[in-house]
Amino acid sequence: ITSMFHWYKRAAKCYVYLSDVSTRKRKRRDENSRDMWKQAFWESRWFTRGWTLQELLAPTSVQFFSKEGSQLGDKQSLEQQIHKITGIPISALRGSALSLFSADQKIDWAKNRKTTCEEDWAYSLMGIFEISILVNYGEGSASAIRRLRKEIDDASKDKECLRHLYVTDPHADKTRIQETKGGLIQDSYHWILENYDFKHWRNDQQSNLLWIKGDPGKGKTMLLCGIINELKKSM
């Protein structure tokens, strides 16, 4: 269950058999008789089942067939109808990363879907949210949904933390650190410029790593700020 979404995502092609959609011609002679299957497609139970949401979103290629075995179209040719039926954005149907859509949006795609086992409503969303929770049939839907939401919230906090780590300006961080510590004093770091090990590292083209080691509070941070200033002068 926890790997179903990835299984569908790796599939070269997926086929959907709609047992409640018929292309059989009606006896009526009106002009719309040939398009009667479109109304049945709109009302198909497939769009109300919990597990079929991931079967729609995960694969690149999804082809739909009537009860007679006639091909009705695929996810691309029927995307406007599918979009109107499900409320899922076109971009999501076309394969945009699901991480681009909010948790509320994805919950909204599933809110009217039903599953035979009540816990499956929550379990069927694991792949869509890129999370994993323990499958525990018998816990009830309320417990499963509560655990699902907690995992979603925890994952969201982790991603927010990583986003702040990625979006940073080292120059601004260096300035902030220096100002917080009362400013950089040249005499506090100038000695290292004449240190044998430092000069060897600076002049050796094969030396890529400079390791500054010391106990807390010894001035390593400000020493590095001074070194950066000196290296920038010679760049």
Side-chain angles (χ1 to χ4, degrees), residues 95-107:
S96 292
L98 296 182
S99 58
L100 299 175
F101 303 92
S102 70
D104 288 339
Q105 281 180 292
K106 287 181 275 195
I107 289 291

Side-chain angles (χ1 to χ4, degrees), residues 10 16 67 78-79 89 91 121 141 181 189 194 196 229:
R10 290 195 299 266
V16 175
K67 65 183 297 183
L78 295 169
E79 68 178 17
S91 56
W121 187 90
S141 62
K181 293 182 177 291
Y189 71 85
E194 302 301 323
Y196 171 80
N229 289 347

Side-chain angles (χ1 to χ4, degrees), residues 131-198:
I131 61 173
S132 179
I133 60 175
L134 178 67
V135 175
N136 181 23
Y137 286 108
E139 67 174 317
S141 62
S143 175
I145 292 171
R146 182 170 59 253
R147 292 194 298 114
L148 175 74
R149 288 190 174 275
K150 182 181 184 305
E151 195 66 30
I152 292 171
D153 291 341
D154 290 346
S156 177
K157 291 175 184 176
D158 290 343
K159 290 177 181 177
E160 180 69 10
C161 179
L162 289 174
R163 187 179 68 82
H164 285 298
L165 288 175
Y166 294 148
V167 184
T168 182
D169 183 348
H171 299 289
D173 288 342
K174 177 174 173 293
T175 300
R176 174 181 54 77
I177 290 170
Q178 290 178 190
E179 291 177 350
T180 301
K181 293 182 177 291
L184 183 61
I185 301 174
Q186 186 176 13
D187 290 342
S188 68
Y189 71 85
H190 204 264
W191 62 270
I192 199 173
L193 303 179
E194 302 301 323
N195 179 272
Y196 171 80
D197 291 328
F198 176 80

